[in-house]
Amino acid sequence: SMLLKANGFSVVTAVNGQDALDKLEDGENVFSIITDLEMPIMHGYELLRELQARKIDIPVAVLTSRAGEQHRNEAISLGASDYLVKPFDEEGLIGVVSRHQEEMA
């Protein structure tokens, strides 16, 4: 979140997928979601499934340490628009979020 804030983005943070869904239901206006796959309570795959089920059409970037092709394929099949592996390229992340902002404008 510090990187995004330093680059002029407003950031809403969530501790897990359920917290993210709760914030969206409470009316948080976001143009991009960045999620890890490994989180307590509701992991990233579950969050992606819930976003699809609830027809929430916000671009999602997965940012994870799981570099395997099967993890990438699973995330993309569940609606992720981007898949970044830690350690990540900061300019790459800023580019992804900027693109999401343009897509939602």
Side-chain angles (χ1 to χ4, degrees), residues 40-85:
I41 301 175
M42 179 185 286
H43 59 73
Y45 294 134
E46 291 172 316
L47 173 60
L48 289 166
R49 283 185 193 101
E50 281 298 316
L51 291 169
Q52 276 188 336
R54 297 175 189 205
K55 299 188 184 331
I56 297 173
D57 190 25
I58 300 171
V60 179
V62 172
L63 179 58
T64 183
S65 61
R66 294 186 177 187
E69 196 64 27
Q70 73 275 14
H71 297 295
R72 175 186 301 273
N73 292 341
E74 174 88 8
I76 299 299
S77 74
L78 292 171
S81 58
D82 301 275
Y83 194 93
L84 305 164
V85 177

Side-chain angles (χ1 to χ4, degrees), residues 84 88-97:
L84 305 164
F88 63 94
D89 173 55
E90 292 182 359
E91 289 181 17
L93 178 61
I94 297 301
V96 164
V97 173

